[in-house]
Amino acid sequence: YTHLSLKHITLLQTIMIFLMLFLVPFFGWLCDKLGPKAMYVIFCSISILIINSIFHRIHDQNYTDILSALVILTIVSSMEQATTLIAVVEMVPK
């Protein structure tokens, strides 16, 4: 992020956190429908396939590439967070 100002970086982080407010409940709902194992397979597959190219996009000088990379990482992170929360709840007996 050395070529972006601190103002732009904090704005991007704020937007991504706001986006997560909607994505985590959605992926939690989807995890209830598909099951934690299926969601973990989807999450891990997406991570393995795209993570390297996404991190290269973050280092680009183009603001649009950085924004799109952060949106994709936010989606993948939201998927993981929702799945982990549901899996932990299901592991604990009633």
Side-chain angles (χ1 to χ4, degrees), residues 13-93:
Q13 284 181 321
T14 304
I15 292 169
M16 296 309 123
I17 289 171
F18 183 75
L19 183 61
M20 288 180 90
L21 286 172
F22 300 99
L23 289 174
V24 171
F26 169 74
F27 285 121
W29 172 80
L30 192 60
C31 185
D32 280 342
K33 299 297 178 194
L34 300 176
K37 283 185 182 179
M39 286 297 288
Y40 269 121
V41 169
I42 293 168
F43 158 70
C44 290
S45 300
I46 290 171
S47 296
I48 290 169
L49 293 175
I50 67 168
I51 205 75
N52 193 28
S53 63
I54 293 299
F55 278 115
H56 284 292
R57 290 180 96 182
I58 288 175
H59 293 293
D60 286 346
Q61 300 291 328
N62 189 353
Y63 191 76
T64 307
D65 284 345
I66 294 169
L67 181 62
S68 65
L70 288 176
V71 167
I72 292 169
L73 285 174
T74 300
I75 292 169
V76 172
S77 177
S78 298
M79 189 182 303
E80 181 272 329
Q81 289 179 21
T83 305
T84 300
L85 288 173
I86 290 174
V88 168
V89 168
E90 288 182 354
M91 282 191 278
V92 178

